[in-house]
Amino acid sequence: MTTTTFPSAAAPAKSARRRVVDAPTRVFHWLFALSFLGAYLTAEGERLRLLHVTLGYTMAGLLVFRVLYGLLGPRQAALSMLWRKLGGLWPWAQSLKAAVQADASPAVNWRQGQNLFMALAIVALLVLVLPLTLSGYATYNEWGDFLGGDWIEEVHEFFGNTVLAVVLAHIAAIVGLSVLRRKNLAAQMVTGRADGPGPDLAKRNHGWLAALLLCAVLTYWTWEWQQSPQGLISPQAISAVLSGQGDDEDD
């Protein structure tokens, strides 16, 4: 007697997911974002100056890590890959222009556009961080007193505002592309994975390196806190922030 078996109506198979961003890149991204946000918010006045400087030095250290990781790390994090992606910027812009003129937006390769926007933002930030941190170091050490005028401080402020503009444009691009592609693209920088079939772009996660990077930054912050007589955030600064007082009397 032949028995016929039917596939059980078990739970549906999980949707395919692939790793697109490894752990060191994600940790670098969030540490860099946190450091810049904190440095920008503490740029005015003297009460939080040590915290501002510490976060600026952190950005410089993260820049060194990203360059080394881009030179010595895996293929998907290589700096050469960024330049290769940027090579397709002009053809993609032309295809976007043609699609707009023909009212055929579905013909636009938004996935390629996402990669281009991300690569452009990364390159812009890496290029801008160097003059930002150097001008900040010069301002902190009052090099302007020897070179004459406050132009170094103005240069530092200019690059700070420029980096802010790039960051805001980066966020706007992420939101816009998420709406167009109907995907939460920001989640990829949290989980490291994207929905859809295909091979992993990041073959290995390198979690140990991400943990090492995080420990290095936290150790540096702890060291700076211990070196400061009143800590990076003094009780006076905390009370001033809570009471809404400005720093005019300290400037």
Side-chain angles (χ1 to χ4, degrees):
M1 180 177 178
T2 304
T3 57
T4 304
T5 59
F6 296 93
S8 60
K14 294 177 64 177
S15 59
R17 304 196 76 197
R18 57 199 185 105
R19 185 187 298 124
V20 293
V21 186
D22 61 14
T25 303
R26 301 199 310 271
V27 171
F28 161 82
H29 176 274
W30 292 114
L31 285 175
F32 190 90
L34 177 63
S35 298
F36 174 73
L37 177 62
Y40 192 87
L41 293 178
T42 57
E44 300 296 333
E46 294 293 327
R47 289 193 176 103
L48 298 175
R49 191 179 189 188
L50 289 177
L51 178 59
H52 174 80
V53 171
T54 297
L55 294 174
Y57 288 161
T58 303
M59 291 176 61
L62 289 171
L63 173 63
V64 173
F65 167 81
R66 185 61 183 89
V67 171
L68 291 176
Y69 195 57
L71 295 175
L72 306 175
R75 181 175 179 271
Q76 82 279 353
L79 297 179
S80 58
M81 289 292 294
L82 295 176
W83 294 112
R84 208 169 301 168
K85 289 178 181 178
L86 291 181
L89 181 59
W90 179 251
W92 184 85
Q94 292 296 102
S95 68
L96 177 62
K97 179 181 178 181
V100 171
Q101 292 176 344
D103 194 18
S105 56
V108 179
N109 188 341
W110 292 113
R111 183 174 179 178
Q112 182 188 11
Q114 171 191 340
N115 294 332
L116 287 171
F117 282 126
M118 298 307 103
L120 186 61
I122 294 172
V123 170
L125 289 174
L126 292 179
V127 170
L128 290 170
V129 166
L130 183 59
L132 174 64
T133 54
L134 287 178
S135 59
Y137 181 83
T139 300
Y140 180 65
N141 289 278
E142 299 180 346
W143 288 4
D145 294 345
F146 301 98
L147 300 177
D150 297 329
W151 64 273
I152 292 182
E153 186 175 352
E154 294 175 358
V155 168
H156 182 59
E157 183 177 352
F158 167 79
F159 280 110
N161 291 330
T162 303
V163 171
L164 177 63
V166 173
V167 169
L168 294 178
H170 174 65
I171 295 174
I174 289 290
V175 173
L177 288 169
S178 295
V179 173
L180 288 171
R181 297 190 60 191
R182 298 181 179 179
K183 291 183 179 181
N184 185 358
L185 300 181
Q188 298 180 10
M189 198 53 72
V190 177
T191 64
R193 295 186 175 274
D195 295 331
D200 289 340
L201 298 182
K203 303 300 181 182
R204 300 176 62 183
N205 196 38
H206 300 289
W208 64 271
L209 184 57
L212 185 62
L213 175 61
L214 179 60
C215 288
V217 171
L218 294 178
T219 300
Y220 169 66
W221 286 350
T222 302
W223 180 81
E224 286 284 6
W225 189 287
Q226 293 175 343
Q227 296 302 308
S228 177
Q230 294 182 322
L232 296 178
I233 307 178
S234 65
Q236 293 83 357
I238 296 177
S239 61
V241 171
L242 294 178
S243 62
Q245 296 177 3
D247 291 325
D248 294 339
E249 67 272 16
D250 293 335
D251 293 341

